[in-house]
Amino acid sequence: MKKSLRAVFIFTILITFVLISTMFIYNKNKVVAQAIDVQSIIVLYFDENPINKEINDKKIVKSQILASKAQKIAINEYNVKLQESKFDEAAKSNESKIDNKNDKVAYLTFDDGPSSVNTMKILEILDEYDVKATFFVLGSMSEKNPEVLLTIHDKGHSIGNHGYSHNYKKIYDNSDSFFKDIDRGENVLKDILGEEFNTKLLRFPGGSFGKKKSPMKELSKQKGYNVVDWNVVIGDAEKKNPSKEYLINRFMETHKNKKNIIILMHDTDAKNSTVEVLPQIIDILLFEGYTIKTLDEE
Ligand SMILES: [Zn+2]
């Protein structure tokens, strides 16, 4: 009885062992199978899965969009460069047109000096702009300010004769008195600037306009003078202490639509607003495309 009980006990243990082992092996296989499934899902997900396809397709579309954007940018840049080069060419051809025509010329002229203060200020402004002007000087004023006359000359500006006295009654009485005054003025200029100094530029005091002055004008031409009047004013002799606005307005209305302009200004010490508006006048001339020259460059 004891022996059979022991055998049953051993048998039961064996059966239990086999059962547990079998269950263990089964479970292990199940895990492996599950692992294989997961792997296949992963493979599917990354390779053939329709969602993955869609993502891939989207990626392709995105990269295509980026490529076309890059292309568009490149085309735009090319067009911009093309336009720039066309613009440069146009600008160059415009420049050459302006150079060829050279049709707008302005002459800055200052009368009745040289004065000790304002002429010097005007010379400084002209230096700043690197432009030259023509000074129609009086003999009487040159005697008072010979250094200023020398400075005008040294800086390379043109000097014209405006007579000695600027006394209308005296000089326009007859041709003899007129040329007496002109010769006196010329002699003062030669005394200061040297005998070799010679100018044929002549501006009649008050201008050469009117019938009364025409015989004197004719004689002047016969004597070889270049009689120079003006066709533009800034109005600095039209009233006492004119405002800057008045001068600019007069300049704007008198030079409008004119290609060759001779501008009448005054460099006496009383004409402070002339000095004040001069930079603005030069700015306007340059902006409007005028070349600023001196009268003996003609
Ligand atoms: Zn004058």
Side-chain angles (χ1 to χ4, degrees), residues 106 108 110 120-133 155 157 248 251 265 274-288 290-294 297:
L108 306 171
F110 296 95
M120 292 308 288
K121 284 183 184 173
I122 286 165
L123 290 173
E124 267 176 46
I125 295 165
L126 297 174
D127 275 354
E128 278 168 30
Y129 282 89
D130 195 24
V131 294
K132 302 291 179 215
K155 285 180 181 290
H157 299 284
I248 292 294
F251 168 68
M265 293 174 277
T274 300
V275 179
E276 286 167 19
V277 296
L278 182 58
Q280 211 176 326
I281 284 167
I282 296 171
D283 282 335
I284 294 165
L285 291 170
L286 296 175
F287 177 77
E288 290 179 349
Y290 286 93
T291 304
I292 297 170
K293 286 185 179 179
T294 59
E297 281 178 56

Side-chain angles (χ1 to χ4, degrees), residues 19-50:
L19 275 169
I20 289 166
S21 304
T22 313
M23 275 177 74
F24 180 74
I25 290 161
Y26 174 73
N27 276 337
K28 199 187 171 188
N29 284 344
K30 210 180 166 186
V31 167
V32 170
Q34 278 179 345
I36 289 164
D37 273 356
V38 168
Q39 201 184 2
S40 68
I41 287 165
I42 291 167
V43 169
L44 271 173
Y45 186 81
F46 281 102
D47 289 340
E48 294 149 19
N49 188 302

Side-chain angles (χ1 to χ4, degrees), residues 35-256:
I36 289 164
D37 273 356
V38 168
Q39 201 184 2
S40 68
I41 287 165
I42 291 167
V43 169
L44 271 173
Y45 186 81
F46 281 102
D47 289 340
E48 294 149 19
N49 188 302
I51 297 167
N52 187 43
K53 256 193 172 177
E54 207 181 309
I55 291 167
N56 273 341
D57 288 349
K58 277 185 182 171
K59 276 183 188 169
I60 290 163
V61 170
K62 214 176 179 183
S63 65
Q64 279 174 342
I65 291 167
L66 284 173
S68 76
K69 271 186 183 171
Q71 208 172 16
K72 276 180 188 169
I73 290 166
I75 290 166
N76 281 342
E77 279 175 358
Y78 173 75
N79 282 338
V80 166
K81 278 181 185 168
L82 197 73
Q83 277 175 341
E84 277 174 357
S85 68
K86 277 181 185 172
F87 181 78
D88 285 348
E89 276 170 32
K92 272 178 197 169
S93 70
N94 273 343
E95 268 172 30
S96 61
K97 272 179 201 165
I98 289 164
D99 283 344
N100 289 340
K101 279 187 183 173
N102 205 15
D103 54 359
K104 286 175 101 177
V105 182
Y107 302 93
L108 306 171
T109 70
F110 296 95
D111 286 15
D112 303 350
S115 66
S116 58
V117 179
N118 281 344
T119 304
M120 292 308 288
K121 284 183 184 173
I122 286 165
L123 290 173
E124 267 176 46
I125 295 165
L126 297 174
D127 275 354
E128 278 168 30
Y129 282 89
D130 195 24
V131 294
K132 302 291 179 215
T134 306
F135 292 82
F136 286 99
V137 296
L138 290 172
S140 54
M141 288 300 288
S142 300
E143 280 176 343
K144 283 181 192 168
N145 303 298
E147 287 85 9
V148 182
L149 184 73
L150 280 163
T151 309
I152 295 170
H153 190 243
D154 289 347
K155 285 180 181 290
H157 299 284
S158 285
I159 294 171
N161 189 355
H162 197 39
Y164 182 87
S165 68
H166 214 275
N167 184 332
Y168 293 171
K169 271 188 184 173
K170 208 172 123 186
I171 59 178
Y172 291 125
D173 188 49
N174 58 67
S175 288
D176 280 350
S177 56
F178 176 77
F179 285 108
K180 216 177 158 186
D181 193 78
I182 296 303
D183 289 346
R184 195 178 171 193
E186 195 173 309
N187 289 334
V188 173
L189 300 186
K190 282 182 182 287
D191 283 348
I192 298 164
L193 300 171
E195 275 303 310
E196 67 279 11
F197 174 79
N198 189 38
T199 181
K200 284 293 157 197
L201 293 172
L202 175 63
R203 177 167 281 169
F204 281 39
S208 69
F209 317 102
K211 272 186 185 175
K212 200 188 168 189
K213 294 174 189 171
S214 63
M216 295 164 198
K217 197 176 175 179
E218 204 47 54
L219 272 169
S220 300
K221 284 177 186 171
Q222 284 171 21
K223 285 172 182 275
Y225 285 111
N226 176 14
V227 178
V228 183
D229 287 319
W230 56 86
N231 60 355
V232 174
V233 297
I234 65 166
D236 60 351
E238 291 171 358
K239 54 174 164 176
K240 255 193 175 183
N241 304 319
S243 69
K244 282 159 68 178
E245 289 72 24
Y246 179 83
L247 301 184
I248 292 294
N249 284 339
R250 288 293 287 141
F251 168 68
M252 293 311 284
E253 64 191 17
T254 58
H255 91 284
K256 205 171 154 187

Side-chain angles (χ1 to χ4, degrees), residues 10-21:
I10 291 164
F11 180 72
T12 310
I13 288 171
L14 273 169
I15 292 294
T16 311
F17 180 73
V18 167
L19 275 169
I20 289 166
S21 304

